[in-house]
Amino acid sequence: MSLDIAKNVIEGNPTKTFFIEMITRDISIRDAILDLLDNSIDGASKINPHNYEGLFVEIIIDKDKFIVKDNCGGFSLETAKKYAFRFGRPDDAPDTHGSVGRFGIGMKRALFKIGKYFEVESKHTEDHFQVSVDVNTWRHKKKSITTNEITTEVEDWDFSYEDITIESSNLEENGTYIEVSQLYDEVSELFNDNEFLTSLRGDIERLLNFSLEKGIRITLNGEELSGKNIQIFNDESTPYMAEGVKDKVRYKVIGGLGVVGDPSKSGWYIYCNDRLVLEADKSEITGWGTSGIPKWHIDHVMFRGIVFLDSDETINLPLTTTKKGIDATSDIYKFVHFFMREAMGNIMPFFKLVTKLGNEANPYRELLGETENKISVVEMKSTDLVIAPRKFVAPVVDQEAIATKKESVRISYDVKKDWANVARTHSKSKSLKELGETTFEYYIKMESLNE
């Protein structure tokens, strides 16, 4: 029996209009910009995963244009042809090696979201080229395909590139230059709004704080941004820690105490390949208010929980497509969630003990914040924090110290770490706190002798 196959096929091809107008709705302008910055951070990580000193990302935003420029290595023409400008990641794509890009749509979706014309220039050790796209022209671009002597017109999804010479380049070093113009009206209005720029600055400082702490320099309209560092006590109090590998994901769960400060800083922080995807979470998704764990209360204001999830292949991570949340149904998150609950269970008795201090509770919390040595989020990831794994050691509730606090002040200053360690060894101080007390007592003794 003869069968005309073509008559029995239902086309399931996507359309460019759907991609330009619909998929871009799933992401905000701020998230689109962060997607582009993630590409720069991925480039920095390939240069040196441990230290970003000397690398920069410059962002320029106004009502007429959007520019991102970096010196983070750029990408090759082969990468552009096979992956960077493809709509979705091919099955044969290599591992992303610790990036946060996952589905292969981030850069294109961001560019289409912002404006109707864009240029992407990449200077790499192997190539130097530029892709220029007029979105309206590209949207209607067709190509002819001939099958069985029948020629049909289909949508042409391809992009063209041109080689760049030094004279026409926007880049002095290996890196990437992206410029979007002919902005959509609503985007142009946003980019002309100081409130939006302030909000964007805050998002970058929070969500990319790990990269900022590693030393990368990010500027927004010429103003340098700073990381919103997260710290945990690591002295008399030692944090809970569990770490290992599960389903090709390296995990590290840390639970401990931080300064009282702003209650909005309390909660769980989850990083996927160094990108903050959940910040100061106090909801059921991180265990609060679930079986055996109370709902977050102001009594828990000192709680700090950090989760690091890293994988060479990003698809293994429990990320959502917008990178602003966790897929709580994923097997790896369910596995790690056990340790998160265990950490909270370890720490809760300490909070109950502090609450029983009544009027002395706040002075005690403040005292801990002033006297405890603290470790930064970058140090947490690379340092063996605890003597006994999966055990939180609470600080001693010192009633005498609480009473003394009312009649004392804190003296604080920064010195080079190497000098401090030499001084601590020489003075036989057990901690930096003790070193500070020793040097002050030495000064007082010397002054007394001079009277």
Side-chain angles (χ1 to χ4, degrees):
M1 178 178 171
S2 176
L3 183 65
D4 187 347
I5 299 297
K7 291 182 180 179
N8 291 271
V9 172
I10 299 173
E11 290 191 8
N13 298 330
T15 66
K16 289 188 279 188
T17 297
F18 173 76
F19 189 92
I20 295 169
E21 297 183 359
M22 296 303 295
I23 291 184
T24 53
R25 294 186 185 184
D26 292 339
I27 191 170
S28 70
I29 290 296
R30 288 204 298 269
D31 290 338
I33 293 171
L34 284 161
D35 256 346
L36 297 175
L37 299 185
D38 283 337
N39 291 336
S40 296
I41 300 302
D42 288 344
S45 182
K46 290 172 184 174
I47 294 173
N48 185 343
H50 308 294
N51 190 328
Y52 297 164
E53 294 289 343
L55 301 178
F56 69 80
V57 183
E58 296 175 356
I59 311 161
I60 299 173
I61 295 178
D62 61 39
K63 63 182 180 64
D64 297 316
K65 64 182 179 301
F66 167 83
I67 296 173
V68 174
K69 176 181 178 180
D70 69 51
N71 67 339
C72 299
F75 54 94
S76 68
L77 184 57
E78 181 183 12
T79 298
K81 288 180 176 181
K82 291 185 176 181
Y83 313 113
F85 286 90
R86 291 282 296 273
F87 290 85
R89 293 189 70 232
D91 291 339
D92 63 349
D95 287 352
T96 50
H97 296 294
S99 78
V100 290
R102 181 174 183 180
F103 300 107
I105 62 173
M107 181 178 74
K108 284 81 66 180
R109 179 169 62 174
L111 297 175
F112 284 125
K113 178 80 175 179
I114 296 171
K116 293 175 281 190
Y117 184 84
F118 60 83
E119 297 175 352
V120 179
E121 178 186 347
S122 176
K123 185 177 182 182
H124 186 260
T125 52
E126 300 173 13
D127 311 285
H128 192 179
F129 63 95
Q130 178 174 294
V131 176
S132 302
V133 179
D134 182 307
V135 175
N136 286 332
T137 300
W138 179 81
R139 181 203 296 257
H140 298 103
K141 184 181 175 186
K142 303 280 187 179
K143 65 181 177 181
S144 299
I145 294 181
T146 301
T147 305
N148 296 328
E149 299 183 352
I150 299 175
T151 301
T152 56
E153 292 284 314
V154 298
E155 287 189 330
D156 185 353
W157 289 72
D158 295 339
F159 299 100
S160 300
Y161 73 91
E162 60 180 337
D163 293 323
I164 293 293
T165 61
I166 295 176
E167 291 76 16
S168 59
S169 176
N170 294 291
L171 296 164
E172 298 80 32
E173 306 174 69
N174 287 349
T176 305
Y177 177 90
I178 296 174
E179 180 171 349
V180 187
S181 55
Q182 298 181 31
L183 307 182
Y184 292 108
D185 290 342
E186 62 272 21
V187 175
S188 181
E189 290 177 11
L190 270 181
F191 285 0
N192 200 38
D193 183 347
N194 286 331
E195 186 175 336
F196 168 80
L197 295 177
T198 300
S199 179
L200 174 63
R201 175 193 173 109
D203 281 350
I204 296 171
E205 290 182 330
R206 288 183 300 104
L207 301 177
L208 300 185
N209 75 298
F210 199 95
S211 297
L212 287 162
E213 289 296 318
K214 280 188 177 182
I216 198 165
R217 183 174 180 269
I218 301 179
T219 58
L220 175 58
N221 288 347
E223 185 177 357
E224 187 167 353
L225 309 189
S226 58
K228 301 296 184 183
N229 193 17
I230 305 157
Q231 296 181 320
I232 285 183
F233 297 164
N234 187 38
D235 189 6
E236 295 177 11
S237 164
T238 55
Y240 166 103
M241 187 181 78
E243 62 180 337
V245 179
K246 168 74 173 175
D247 297 336
K248 298 182 179 179
V249 175
R250 299 176 296 279
Y251 65 87
K252 191 169 192 175
V253 179
I254 302 167
L257 307 175
V259 297
V260 178
D262 185 349
S264 67
K265 294 182 179 179
S266 175
W268 281 102
Y269 295 76
I270 300 181
Y271 290 86
C272 288
N273 283 353
D274 294 348
R275 168 72 130 82
L276 183 63
V277 295
L278 208 60
E279 178 188 24
D281 188 87
K282 307 174 183 67
S283 70
E284 290 185 5
I285 197 171
T286 52
W288 294 99
T290 59
S291 177
I293 305 295
K295 289 184 177 181
W296 188 91
H297 185 273
I298 194 64
D299 290 344
H300 310 134
V301 67
M302 298 180 73
F303 179 84
R304 300 290 187 277
I306 316 290
V307 179
F308 296 108
L309 299 172
D310 296 278
S311 178
D312 290 338
E313 182 49 68
T314 319
I315 198 71
N316 297 325
L317 299 173
L319 272 170
T320 61
T321 60
T322 57
K323 308 172 193 171
K324 292 184 69 175
I326 286 292
D327 176 9
T329 65
S330 71
D331 289 341
I332 182 61
Y333 186 70
K334 290 177 182 177
F335 178 82
V336 169
H337 193 257
F338 168 83
F339 298 110
M340 295 167 65
R341 287 177 51 81
E342 185 176 69
M344 297 167 81
N346 267 234
I347 299 170
M348 287 302 152
F350 170 75
F351 291 139
K352 292 180 180 178
L353 181 63
V354 173
T355 302
K356 290 180 180 179
L357 293 175
N359 293 334
E360 304 294 342
N362 275 336
Y364 176 61
R365 293 187 185 103
E366 292 170 3
L367 177 67
L368 287 178
E370 293 175 357
T371 58
E372 278 274 352
N373 290 329
K374 304 166 188 71
I375 187 167
S376 72
V377 66
V378 174
E379 293 173 305
M380 286 180 221
K381 188 172 184 181
S382 60
T383 303
D384 185 7
L385 298 178
V386 295
I387 298 173
R390 296 177 60 182
K391 181 180 180 181
F392 167 74
V393 178
V396 176
V397 178
D398 189 336
Q399 293 283 5
E400 183 178 344
I402 296 172
T404 302
K405 183 184 184 322
K406 297 178 181 179
E407 302 175 359
S408 64
V409 296
R410 177 172 174 76
I411 299 173
S412 177
Y413 55 92
D414 294 322
V415 299
K416 288 185 177 180
K417 187 180 293 186
D418 291 344
W419 294 357
N421 288 333
V422 169
R424 183 171 63 175
T425 301
H426 185 267
S427 65
K428 299 181 180 179
S429 300
K430 295 179 180 178
S431 66
L432 294 175
K433 172 188 171 184
E434 185 177 331
L435 172 62
E437 293 170 346
T438 299
T439 54
F440 184 77
E441 289 170 359
Y442 178 81
Y443 173 82
I444 294 298
K445 181 178 179 181
M446 289 297 99
E447 283 298 299
S448 298
L449 292 175
N450 290 333
E451 290 180 354

